Amino acid sequence: MVAIGHGPLDSDQAGDLAGTFKALGDPVRLRLLSMIASANDGEICVCDLSEAFPLTGPTISHHLRILREAGLVHSARRGTWVYYRAVPGELTRLAGVLDAGRP
């Protein structure tokens, strides 16, 4: 993937990135991702995420599904709870794309 400051994106790259950035274009999803990525153990239970928002469980699940489908988080079920973990490679890729520095 080319950094924006290092050359133009082709149409496939732009389309792929647009979907990812669209997933991050909602304040709730951006907050969820920041909470997941900064969790002490590298992962966080949906029960802890839900407590931070004045939203219903299905609404939180909807936002988390969009983050999963965008490839930004992974989830694992343990008993009745689901735990979320950020995908480090994807966050690094996004940071690299936004690097506006010139080589």
Side-chain angles (χ1 to χ4, degrees):
M1 182 68 55
V2 164
I4 287 176
H6 296 202
L9 300 172
D10 65 31
S11 60
D12 289 337
Q13 291 170 323
D16 176 52
L17 284 168
T20 304
F21 284 117
K22 183 177 180 181
L24 292 175
D26 182 279
V28 171
R29 290 192 289 271
L30 194 54
R31 279 189 64 207
L32 284 167
L33 182 61
S34 72
M35 292 171 70
I36 294 166
S38 64
N40 286 335
D41 296 330
E43 66 180 6
I44 190 167
C45 178
V46 69
C47 59
D48 295 321
L49 294 170
S50 296
E51 292 175 358
F53 297 91
L55 302 171
T56 65
T59 301
I60 294 293
S61 293
H62 165 76
H63 288 298
L64 290 167
R65 179 182 52 82
I66 290 172
L67 292 174
R68 267 193 330 272
E69 289 174 353
L72 295 165
V73 298
H74 288 302
S75 62
R77 179 170 291 282
R78 294 191 203 128
T80 59
W81 296 112
V82 178
Y83 289 79
Y84 288 88
R85 177 179 294 273
V87 178
E90 187 62 14
L91 299 181
T92 301
R93 179 180 80 102
L94 292 176
V97 166
L98 294 175
D99 180 12
R102 298 273 175 178

